[in-house]
Amino acid sequence: MHFYFERKSRYVLLVFCLAAIAGHAQEIKVMTSGGFSAAYRQLMAQYSSEHGIRFETISGPSMGSSPTAIPSRLHRGETADVIIMVRESLDALVKNGEVIDGSTTDLARSRIGMAVRAGAAKPDISSVEAFRQTLLRARSVAYSDSASGEYIKNDLYKRLGIEKEMAAKSRQIQAEPVGMVVARGEADLGFQQMSELIPISGITIVGPIPEELQKTTVFSAGIAKRSTAPESARVFIHYLASPAACELIKEAALDPIACLPSPSLPKEVTRPNPQLTIPYGAPISVENAKKAAAAAVAEANKNNWRMAIAVTDVGGELVYFEKVEGTQTASVQIAIDKARSTVLFKRPTKWFEDELASQGIGLRVLGLRGAVPVDGGVPLVVDGRVVGGIGISGGTNRQDGHCAETGAAALK
């Protein structure tokens, strides 16, 4: 009851603020990137109807060098009150003085989707390998010139080990929704934020790309440094980030930050951690270290993940190390640190990750010397005793953790 009363009070206060501001500024100028555009237009129409504010809206990519990109517009002197774009790009605008420091607010999370032309067969993207084969079979691929496209061009193809094969048949689309290119038959496959694909006719959305390869983008809003109506901009951003905006944001295939479930520890974290009571045993043998590493490497190779694998003994000393060809150098030390962390604290490093994500007292993790709050480290147990730890780095947090669990399971 207490929480409900506070939330209701804040909403009433917001309504009073909106009423007070409405009489002062009759127009708000907004620059928004495509990923949040569909949600924004619905919210803007509702806000305008309720509060009598007019809006001038300019659309453009969050990044890139095209003349229509929001950073390009601001650089050449165009003005706005509210900027809505990808969080990383908004942070860059804060850094270079185009957006007021301290004015930024996260609005929604978005995932990358794939589309084909309407009527075309829907390809299989149900697994990482199926998705990889779909890409290799495609004659042409289009992706955006914003966050999703940059990820596909610079990271996704490399992670799948197909950058050379995809280079000649992929192109980045500027100043036009990728879905329109696919609808005209100019590309077999198109990639963009799900929220940007949904409004396009003439395409079939196959679905989000596999979760293991997914890159979640956060869209945020901030007040432009040269805003002529900063207070009106602030109140409008407050509205966009409030529970009152959640339903329209969800309809645009986005996850509204204001209505995400309250942070809570998953069951495997909240229940007693059995590893805490397991005693240490004799240091792991080289044979068992190789066995655990081999299982992890096999799983990484099966999924075409480039990873570094480290195994340490009960004292945190390195016993065995292996690296998949092509793994980034930075992953070497990270893998070793994860292996040491998991054996020294006798718990998976994901435990620390979840604790940190919960904030509150979970922030104490940052003060624990040697604790690595990133999934990918798992204790190695033989005959009911902790004999060492395995640490893996190179993929996503969950991919690292999956391979580490696979390695640990090889000793059971």
Side-chain angles (χ1 to χ4, degrees):
M1 287 296 294
H2 182 61
F3 172 76
Y4 173 76
F5 174 77
E6 286 189 341
R7 173 177 265 180
K8 185 175 180 182
S9 297
R10 287 197 298 270
Y11 180 74
V12 171
L13 179 60
L14 173 60
V15 171
F16 277 119
C17 288
L18 294 175
I21 293 300
H24 295 292
Q26 298 304 310
E27 183 174 273
I28 298 175
K29 188 174 183 179
V30 178
M31 286 188 184
T32 179
S33 60
F36 196 77
S37 185
Y40 158 74
R41 291 185 183 281
Q42 292 296 317
L43 292 164
M44 174 267 291
Q46 180 171 292
Y47 187 90
S48 179
S49 174
E50 292 177 358
H51 306 291
I53 303 264
R54 294 192 305 270
F55 285 83
E56 179 183 350
T57 305
I58 299 170
S59 298
S62 293
M63 57 188 68
S65 58
S66 71
T68 59
I70 292 175
S72 299
R73 291 180 181 277
L74 294 174
H75 182 70
R76 62 174 178 261
E78 291 190 36
T79 60
D81 298 306
V82 175
I83 308 294
I84 304 173
M85 62 198 308
V86 171
R87 180 78 211 198
E88 300 94 303
S89 297
L90 191 65
D91 288 342
L93 292 180
V94 170
K95 188 175 181 179
N96 66 27
E98 295 286 1
V99 170
I100 296 174
D101 191 10
S103 72
T104 57
T105 301
D106 292 338
L107 305 178
R109 296 175 181 172
S110 176
R111 294 190 294 169
I112 300 172
M114 189 185 89
V116 296
R117 192 177 188 183
K122 291 178 66 172
D124 183 8
I125 61 170
S126 61
S127 67
V128 172
E129 184 55 30
F131 179 65
R132 181 174 181 272
Q133 292 303 321
T134 290
L135 288 172
L136 291 173
R137 284 193 294 267
R139 293 170 300 177
S140 55
V141 176
Y143 48 77
S144 77
D145 62 344
S146 196
S148 60
E150 289 297 310
Y151 167 69
I152 289 168
K153 179 179 67 173
N154 298 323
D155 297 291
L156 179 64
Y157 288 165
K158 291 180 181 179
R159 287 174 60 182
L160 291 172
I162 57 174
E163 60 267 39
K164 292 181 180 178
E165 293 88 338
M166 299 304 298
K169 57 182 180 181
S170 298
R171 66 186 179 111
Q172 196 166 44
I173 307 301
Q174 291 193 345
E176 182 181 21
V178 172
M180 295 179 67
V181 176
V182 175
R184 293 196 299 267
E186 296 174 10
D188 289 349
L189 307 177
F191 294 94
Q192 202 158 18
Q193 303 292 343
M194 289 286 290
S195 58
E196 294 179 82
L197 292 174
I198 284 178
I200 306 299
S201 59
I203 63 173
T204 297
I205 299 175
V206 181
I209 66 174
E211 201 61 37
E212 299 93 327
L213 302 171
Q214 188 62 249
K215 177 178 173 60
T216 301
T217 298
V218 176
F219 287 97
S220 307
I223 303 173
K225 192 67 172 284
R226 294 192 292 273
S227 169
T228 58
E231 186 59 20
S232 296
R234 183 189 65 79
V235 175
F236 179 57
I237 290 173
H238 193 167
Y239 163 72
L240 294 177
S242 73
C246 287
E247 286 307 311
L248 288 178
I249 292 176
K250 289 178 182 177
E251 289 177 10
L254 297 165
D255 297 321
I257 301 294
C259 294
L260 290 177
S262 298
S264 60
L265 294 176
K267 292 180 180 178
E268 64 266 28
V269 175
T270 57
R271 67 172 179 256
N273 189 333
Q275 308 248 350
L276 296 177
T277 59
I278 294 176
Y280 286 113
I284 189 170
S285 66
V286 174
E287 179 183 359
N288 275 338
K290 288 183 177 180
K291 184 177 180 180
V297 169
E299 187 66 15
N301 286 332
K302 183 177 76 173
N303 291 284
N304 200 36
W305 296 335
R306 293 175 172 83
M307 293 178 166
I309 298 92
V311 177
T312 60
D313 63 17
V314 290
E317 296 299 320
L318 188 63
V319 175
Y320 184 80
F321 178 85
E322 189 168 347
K323 184 175 71 169
V324 175
E325 184 177 356
T327 301
Q328 62 183 9
T329 303
S331 295
V332 174
Q333 188 59 52
I334 296 173
I336 296 172
D337 289 343
K338 287 182 182 180
R340 285 175 174 159
S341 174
T342 196
V343 73
L344 293 176
F345 289 94
K346 287 202 295 186
R347 67 194 77 184
T349 56
K350 189 177 189 305
W351 190 89
F352 291 116
E353 180 181 302
D354 290 335
E355 279 284 286
L356 188 58
S358 73
Q359 299 184 17
I361 62 172
L363 291 174
R364 70 187 188 281
V365 168
L366 297 176
L368 296 177
R369 185 176 180 180
V372 177
V374 183
D375 198 0
V378 175
L380 296 175
V381 179
V382 175
D383 296 330
R385 294 178 178 272
V386 176
V387 298
I390 183 169
I392 296 180
S393 177
T396 64
N397 290 4
R398 194 64 204 109
Q399 289 168 359
D400 292 347
H402 172 71
C403 285
E405 290 161 4
T406 300
L411 301 185
K412 295 180 180 179

